[in-house]
Amino acid sequence: MEELKKITLTVINALEVTMNLRDPYTAGHQARVTALAMAIAEKLSLDEERLDALRFASMIHDVGKIKVPSEILNKPGKLNRLEFAMIKEHPLVGRNLFTEVDFKVPISEIIYQHHERF
């Protein structure tokens, strides 16, 4: 079981690195979110299964940006309405990517719900 967990973490980490390459403007954001989420989770004394789920979800919470064209992700100015609408779809895209992956916890829903105002 520990070996499977290690492999899963390695794959999730590779996906996080891929997203940093795809969206250099926010590179490091997912790692900072993960560090903050884990600090809060430890203060809450979450069990190991929930800690792992939170770690995995926070590492890849922006994975849905894979569908957003790089010209929009890297645009230096303000986004127009259409561009912003495309950005706002990334939680749904991320959820859809992970809906069929059985993590035993609702990681796809965590990814989907990571924005409170979309």
Side-chain angles (χ1 to χ4, degrees):
M1 195 64 178
E2 197 59 37
E3 185 66 25
L4 183 58
K5 181 176 159 182
K6 184 178 176 182
I7 291 168
T8 302
L9 184 58
T10 302
V11 171
I12 294 291
N13 189 57
L15 189 53
E16 178 184 21
V17 170
T18 301
M19 291 309 303
N20 285 336
L21 293 172
R22 175 104 169 93
D23 184 9
Y25 180 73
T26 61
H29 165 71
Q30 293 180 132
R32 290 187 299 274
V33 168
T34 301
L36 180 59
M38 297 313 296
I40 292 168
E42 288 172 15
K43 291 284 186 187
L44 293 172
S45 301
L46 296 184
D47 62 58
E48 187 174 348
E49 184 176 280
R50 286 185 170 181
L51 283 172
D52 289 340
L54 189 58
R55 180 179 297 109
F56 295 159
S58 61
M59 289 174 72
I60 58 171
H61 73 273
D62 277 338
V63 69
K65 286 184 180 178
I66 197 78
K67 187 177 178 187
V68 179
S70 60
E71 297 80 22
I72 294 172
L73 289 176
N74 300 307
K75 184 177 177 179
K78 187 176 179 178
L79 300 176
N80 65 40
R81 269 187 283 183
L82 178 60
E83 293 165 337
F84 190 58
M86 292 178 81
I87 292 284
K88 287 179 10 179
E89 289 183 18
H90 82 273
L92 177 61
V93 172
R95 178 180 71 178
N96 291 344
L97 287 171
F98 283 90
T99 297
E100 298 300 319
V101 180
D102 186 6
F103 282 105
K104 304 294 183 213
V105 290
I107 288 183
S108 64
E109 286 304 310
I110 295 169
I111 292 170
Y112 179 60
Q113 295 179 21
H114 82 269
H115 280 287
E116 71 280 3
R117 289 186 269 170
F118 280 179

